[in-house]
Amino acid sequence: MKNEERNYNRRYANEYNIFRSIFYMCFLYGVVFPFIYFFYDCEITGRENLPKWNKRDKYIFTANHVSIFDPFMVPMASQKLTAFMAKKELFEKTEKFSWLIKRLGAFAVDRTKPEIATFKTVRDIFTTSWSLGVFPQGGTRPYGKLEDIKKGFVVIAKNAKADIIPIAIGGFTGYPQLKPFKKQKVRLHVCKPISYKLPADEVVYRWCEEISQHAEYENCVPAPSSVENKETATV
């Protein structure tokens, strides 16, 4: 009888150990960062918005999703070990990057329905030195418009009692082209944290506002009544 393929929707705290951390950092600094800096003119701003860390703090890094490089650009900006949520299809044997995705600490999620395993994995990650990474847009959408944002990241943030730190990826115009060789300018901006205690619609709207401002995206998400009331009160 063949062994069943592991379901990577559930990962445990002991998987985010010193050996995985070393592999993660070696891969980023030895492979990914040199590649990105060779092909892109990468400007990083807003690191002063990163809070001073202590063991009790929990933060979820959430970026707009423009390319397959995003899971590496986020830790470039945050300088934090980050375990990303990824669609379960990426963990299938037929997926050419599945081996690497698993080794870098990502865990699988079913986009159609939330799973208890997801919340348990997030809980375990937050007991380690790693942070959580989520792309609220779901798949890659490099067309400069914020719409149909998945609210799952807010549910996870509230369940984990973790504030949300948006990271805006701006200026990305495509994958590297060798002929003619020319560096593309990419901007990464670390935004101010958004409290998980805010109403869900307001968290989504504030996230979209931060991303649209610093990545020059169009925000198609309407302001919720809680935000409109606040703005009216200040007039």
Side-chain angles (χ1 to χ4, degrees), residues 201-213:
D201 288 342
E202 185 170 344
V203 172
V204 172
Y205 177 75
R206 287 179 181 270
W207 181 84
C208 291
E209 282 288 281
E210 291 287 348
I211 298 299
S212 63
Q213 177 183 349

Side-chain angles (χ1 to χ4, degrees), residues 35-42 69 171-186:
F35 175 86
I36 290 178
Y37 280 117
F38 185 80
F39 286 104
Y40 294 94
D41 180 7
C42 193
F69 299 143
F172 185 88
T173 57
Y175 294 105
Q177 299 292 326
L178 294 178
K179 294 182 181 181
F181 180 79
K182 183 179 179 181
K183 279 191 175 184
Q184 301 178 43
K185 187 173 181 63
V186 176

Side-chain angles (χ1 to χ4, degrees), residues 81-217:
L81 296 164
T82 307
F84 279 90
M85 295 174 56
K87 62 181 181 179
K88 63 181 183 179
E89 290 80 7
L90 293 177
F91 294 82
E92 296 175 356
K93 286 184 176 181
T94 54
E95 174 59 45
K96 59 182 177 181
F97 293 117
S98 64
W99 183 89
L100 181 60
I101 291 170
K102 296 169 185 175
R103 298 307 180 276
L104 292 175
F107 61 100
V109 293
D110 187 339
R111 292 179 177 181
T112 62
K113 59 180 179 179
E115 299 175 291
I116 297 299
T118 299
F119 295 101
K120 290 182 177 179
T121 298
V122 170
R123 178 198 63 196
D124 278 13
I125 288 172
F126 280 134
T127 65
T128 73
S129 60
W130 289 57
S131 296
L132 177 66
V134 180
F135 296 108
Q137 290 175 289
T140 55
R141 299 179 185 178
Y143 50 77
K145 184 179 293 187
L146 295 172
E147 57 187 355
D148 190 29
I149 304 300
K150 308 297 186 292
K151 295 183 180 181
F153 77 106
V154 183
V155 176
I156 291 171
K158 288 183 176 294
N159 183 271
K161 297 182 179 180
D163 287 342
I164 295 163
I165 299 180
I167 293 185
I169 304 174
F172 185 88
T173 57
Y175 294 105
Q177 299 292 326
L178 294 178
K179 294 182 181 181
F181 180 79
K182 183 179 179 181
K183 279 191 175 184
Q184 301 178 43
K185 187 173 181 63
V186 176
R187 303 182 308 277
L188 306 177
H189 183 79
V190 182
C191 306
K192 294 180 179 179
I194 301 172
S195 174
Y196 70 88
K197 297 179 182 179
L198 295 172
D201 288 342
E202 185 170 344
V203 172
V204 172
Y205 177 75
R206 287 179 181 270
W207 181 84
C208 291
E209 282 288 281
E210 291 287 348
I211 298 299
S212 63
Q213 177 183 349
H214 296 287
E216 297 181 358
Y217 268 42

